[in-house]
Amino acid sequence: MCGTEKAALVDKCSLSSTAKENGTRTTLSSDAVINLDHGDPMAYEPYWREMGDKCTVVIPGCQSLSYFANKDNLCWFLEPELEEEIKRLHRVVGNAAVEDHHVVVGTGSTQLIQAALYALSPPDESEPTSVVSAAPYYSCYQEAADFLRSGLYKWAGDARAFDKDGPYIEFVTSPNNPDGSIREAIVKRGQGKLVHDLAYYWPQYTPITCCAHFDVMLFTASKCTGHAGSRIGWALVKDKDVAIKMTKFIEISTIGVSKESQIRSAKILGVISDSCLHPGSNNFFEYGHRIMAERWGKLREVVGSGKIFSLPEYPTEYCLFTGEFSETHPAFAWMKCNKNVEDIEKFLRGQKVLARSGKRFGSDPNYVRLSMLSREEEFEIFLHRLLAIQGTSN
Amino acid sequence: MCGTEKAALVDKCSLSSTAKENGTRTTLSSDAVINLDHGDPMAYEPYWREMGDKCTVVIPGCQSLSYFANKDNLCWFLEPELEEEIKRLHRVVGNAAVEDHHVVVGTGSTQLIQAALYALSPPDESEPTSVVSAAPYYSCYQEAADFLRSGLYKWAGDARAFDKDGPYIEFVTSPNNPDGSIREAIVKRGQGKLVHDLAYYWPQYTPITCCAHFDVMLFTASKCTGHAGSRIGWALVKDKDVAIKMTKFIEISTIGVSKESQIRSAKILGVISDSCLHPGSNNFFEYGHRIMAERWGKLREVVGSGKIFSLPEYPTEYCLFTGEFSETHPAFAWMKCNKNVEDIEKFLRGQKVLARSGKRFGSDPNYVRLSMLSREEEFEIFLHRLLAIQGTSN
């Protein structure tokens, strides 16, 4: 790429239509640290600002004092309106079966990952149950499985390398975190239990190709609506006893889940369902899809302008929700460095871009995971830095 | 007690001034199951209804999307206004030192109990660290310590019977749950770490006799303000490294704590501090103290009218907060059955009163723990049932 072309690309980035539309103020200095390590979903903030009062919640002081939300329900701390709106949204989007599943709410899907481990580990084994996922796998599975040195379960690494007999739990993340690939179970043995982590199985990220119907499916508001601060996740669980044990885990570890967050999430999920059902309203998933497609387009353009980095390619599929063909636009970019750089995370840190090393995902240090959900301004600065790196390295 | 006296006592219960003042509707049938197993703090609801709009929170859809609340703080998910209101309330009440302590917020103090176990267990021991508390101890310590069969820590039972060498963690609960006694550490050996669970060290339950200044002190909104549904607890932690490890535990287990609950708790704690500082406003602790004193008075009267049950006695102490002498009015009644009843929990269940057996607290089955924080109506029905039991047994 010649200098003039590069200047044009830089210019294009600066004049981002999305940034202007959103009225994002320029508050960061050009040498600010850009944190793309966490998937902090700030990209959705402008949408919620636009929606104004529609999703405001008002909670009086005398509301929700009790531990209980619905004493007659299996998940006794689940607010009935949240259960209803979770089911409605899945029906509207068509991404997961809810009719024959129990809903268990958690403090983010993070708590539900642990609840699933607790519920699916046989209580009477002499050895901890092996926990696996195909590399590159979500970095938090290993941490969640091992941090308390549980005698019930233990991280056993890459599902593809797993050859032990006996019970195991496999996490199937689809689209996958960190690399966005669509996945199926790998181990496929009799005594295995599967947890389908479908945090990113929403139309802004990937075409909805079928209505998922697995035994345990995990979702989270953080990646669906962008409300990570609410710490609301939910599990759709087919087997009643598993749902009861997951509920028990949450009872012992936190005696339920914030009522305020549940009430607000119910409202927000409801606004999203409404936005899909009423033509002319600001369809949330169309908005999200547009942002993601635009960002991926720009990132591919910048990465393609040099030879240092490369990105995964994704197939085009028909989306049952939008009725259109589309490719996956993951919430994270899984970027490979093709140059002889020992540790790309460290190298990027030197450029004031924080990313998560491939090592954390059971992969190589020449990969990094970068959030695609930052504020628009941060994303633009990141693109500039990437361009600059390529400029000095070509 | 003669029949006429008993009838008068029944009548007195029915015409509870508190119930009338609070405008509590009679919604329960006289044979409803009364659940006094959990300490569901519904007794505070009328206060918060009275306070009206003063403690209403309004949260727009675009607020608190981020995982982060205060990136520069050790506890990066703690909302600054909650930290400020926690510190202000402790200063107003004088029950705990905050100047040289870090605040770590948790999803209820339940999560902080586990965070403390994680933070205080030496990571490099071959054996799990022993966790003890003097019987009768809070039933959840054992469950929290053992449910994941952690290799880091393990429940070792009654602190008074603990004779192992090596590291240990002792929970000191004061006032104690279940029996309301004021406590100090028991084991007192070199390698021990103490966690002071001060959930009930508030003026409505017990005289504030000193400003607590321990290494790790746990509090919870559930028992202070009555907002159990918010799942907000906090730890005051002297040692920076311990505070960092507790924060890490909450990061791994739930990636922080609900922002909505934090924002609302900040508002509610602020209203309580204001109510103490402005003469003529409806002082929250005076209200709580009045309810608790009234309920304990009635319960003692009913229990004293027969010979089947007995209750602990508490000393009168000078309260630095109210400037008056008062006795402890615990949030739970630790009731002993003096008759030859094998399992008092089971017996009460037959009378449609749910209580928690002494066995769960490392004590005997002729004790039960009964919540004193139920709705007024439930408390009254409970008193009637107790009277009826005594009537048939005398």
Side-chain angles (χ1 to χ4, degrees), chain B residues 179-194:
Chain B
D179 71 355
S181 61
I182 302 302
R183 290 187 150 190
E184 290 184 0
I186 299 287
V187 185
K188 293 178 183 163
R189 280 210 293 273
Q191 289 188 66
K193 305 277 184 190
L194 299 179

Side-chain angles (χ1 to χ4, degrees), chain B residues 59 72 97 110 143 146 174 195 246 345 352 359-360:
Chain B
I59 310 178
D72 302 325
T110 304
E143 214 167 23
D146 280 352
S174 187
V195 179
M246 288 181 73
E345 178 195 311
K352 296 192 174 174
K359 286 185 285 184
R360 296 274 306 281

Side-chain angles (χ1 to χ4, degrees), chain B residues 107-168:
Chain B
T107 309
S109 65
T110 304
Q111 189 178 33
L112 293 162
I113 287 168
Q114 294 154 79
L117 290 177
Y118 175 75
L120 297 175
S121 298
D124 43 11
E125 291 287 318
S126 58
E127 289 279 300
T129 296
S130 296
V131 181
V132 299
S133 189
Y137 42 72
Y138 177 35
S139 51
C140 292
Y141 295 146
Q142 175 167 10
E143 214 167 23
D146 280 352
F147 81 127
L148 297 176
R149 294 199 210 149
S150 173
L152 294 175
Y153 45 78
K154 191 177 164 55
W155 179 248
D158 188 356
R160 290 194 185 87
F162 182 68
D163 57 5
K164 260 181 81 172
D165 285 330
Y168 68 90

